[in-house]
Amino acid sequence: SAVISQKPSRDICQRGTSLTIQCQVDSQVTMMFWYRQQPGQSLTLIATANQGSEATYESGFVIDKFPISRPNLTFSTLTVSNMSPEDSSIYLCSVDGTGREQYFGPGTRLTVT
Amino acid sequence: SQQGEEDPQALSIQEGENATMNCSYKTSINNLQWYRQNSGRGLVHLILIRSNEREKHSGRLRVTLDTSKKSSSLLITASRAADTASYFCATDNSGAQKLVFGQGTRLTINP
């Protein structure tokens, strides 16, 4: 299994600002995923990030709002841009395992005021 | 997205009892997975069952899958206080390894 860390673990931000969330994996992985979990809700996939290519966004999520970088096989960032209170959520990154399971980071709890 | 439904949404039982959670989904799948989430933290993978499997065990966990009914169940036997968490099913229904999560069941084990 992979060990994943995320920074920051939580943050409180002003509306209109941006926050970049980092995801670090202890081994090289092909695919990394970014999810959003709104308060009391389930997880929704934002995008899939492969090293060396543009991220693939799910319906309802756009690159201008959630730009993603994937500079190498162990690291990715997600930026939440021009934040509003509706962006208050837990943001989680995950990586694929050998058997199609996913391993998740501890999450970043974002509050936008 | 075609998120599945889980029931019950919340379940409270006494320590030592068994807990059963159900998951229904809408499309054909490659596999179905169950995850646990403690207090809004990261998810922990529990078990994966492939579309051609009907039942799978892992320790105190038992998962069944009925593809004709598009449903799955997770049974936790001899529950412990540490099992208190939210449990999510997730379906892998494409070649792109994208998971679609159910709404989750919030399980509380009372000592």
Side-chain angles (χ1 to χ4, degrees):
Chain A
S1 65
V3 177
I4 304 165
S5 60
Q6 284 186 236
K7 291 181 181 179
S9 59
R10 59 176 62 227
D11 207 341
I12 301 173
C13 300
Q14 299 284 333
R15 71 170 64 208
T17 63
S18 298
L19 176 72
T20 295
I21 302 167
Q22 299 179 7
C23 180
Q24 179 75 52
V25 190
D26 68 342
S27 58
Q28 294 184 340
V29 295
T30 304
M31 300 174 74
M32 297 181 78
F33 306 88
W34 286 98
Y35 291 85
R36 180 177 72 183
Q37 185 177 27
Q38 294 177 303
Q41 301 296 312
S42 185
L43 281 74
T44 301
L45 181 64
I46 298 172
T48 302
N50 289 337
Q51 194 266 338
S53 63
E54 294 282 333
T56 302
Y57 290 82
E58 296 300 304
S59 175
F61 297 97
V62 295
I63 188 171
D64 290 345
K65 176 68 175 177
F66 297 102
I68 288 171
S69 77
R70 181 80 199 275
N72 57 52
L73 292 173
T74 63
F75 187 78
S76 178
T77 67
L78 169 76
T79 298
V80 186
S81 304
N82 188 25
M83 289 183 285
S84 67
E86 293 70 35
D87 294 320
S88 296
S89 298
I90 299 173
Y91 292 86
L92 301 111
C93 68
S94 72
V95 303
D96 56 326
T98 56
R100 297 185 73 87
E101 73 279 14
Q102 290 186 16
Y103 298 101
F104 284 80
T108 295
R109 185 180 294 271
L110 170 63
T111 302
V112 183
T113 61
Chain B
S1 62
Q2 298 282 308
Q3 285 193 331
E5 296 182 1
E6 291 187 56
D7 80 276
Q9 291 188 347
L11 178 62
S12 181
I13 61 174
Q14 295 299 120
E15 195 167 17
E17 294 180 340
N18 296 341
T20 299
M21 289 158 272
N22 302 295
C23 168
S24 61
Y25 56 92
K26 299 177 182 178
T27 64
S28 60
I29 61 173
N30 294 322
N31 63 70
L32 185 144
Q33 304 176 32
W34 286 89
Y35 290 83
R36 183 185 73 227
Q37 184 179 38
N38 291 85
S39 302
R41 300 295 289 170
L43 275 70
V44 174
H45 179 261
L46 296 176
I47 198 165
L48 180 153
I49 186 165
R50 303 189 191 286
S51 60
N52 61 352
E53 297 176 312
R54 292 297 167 258
E55 187 171 313
K56 204 162 184 179
H57 297 255
S58 177
R60 293 184 296 112
L61 306 181
R62 172 179 171 255
V63 169
T64 63
L65 178 65
D66 188 333
T67 53
S68 66
K69 295 181 180 178
K70 291 186 169 60
S71 66
S72 174
S73 67
L74 170 67
L75 168 68
I76 303 174
T77 60
S79 63
R80 305 168 181 169
D83 295 329
T84 294
S86 291
Y87 292 81
F88 294 91
C89 68
T91 55
D92 175 359
N93 52 9
S94 73
Q97 201 170 343
K98 297 193 295 186
L99 294 181
V100 177
F101 281 83
Q103 292 302 306
T105 294
R106 190 171 60 255
L107 175 64
T108 301
I109 308 300
N110 301 304

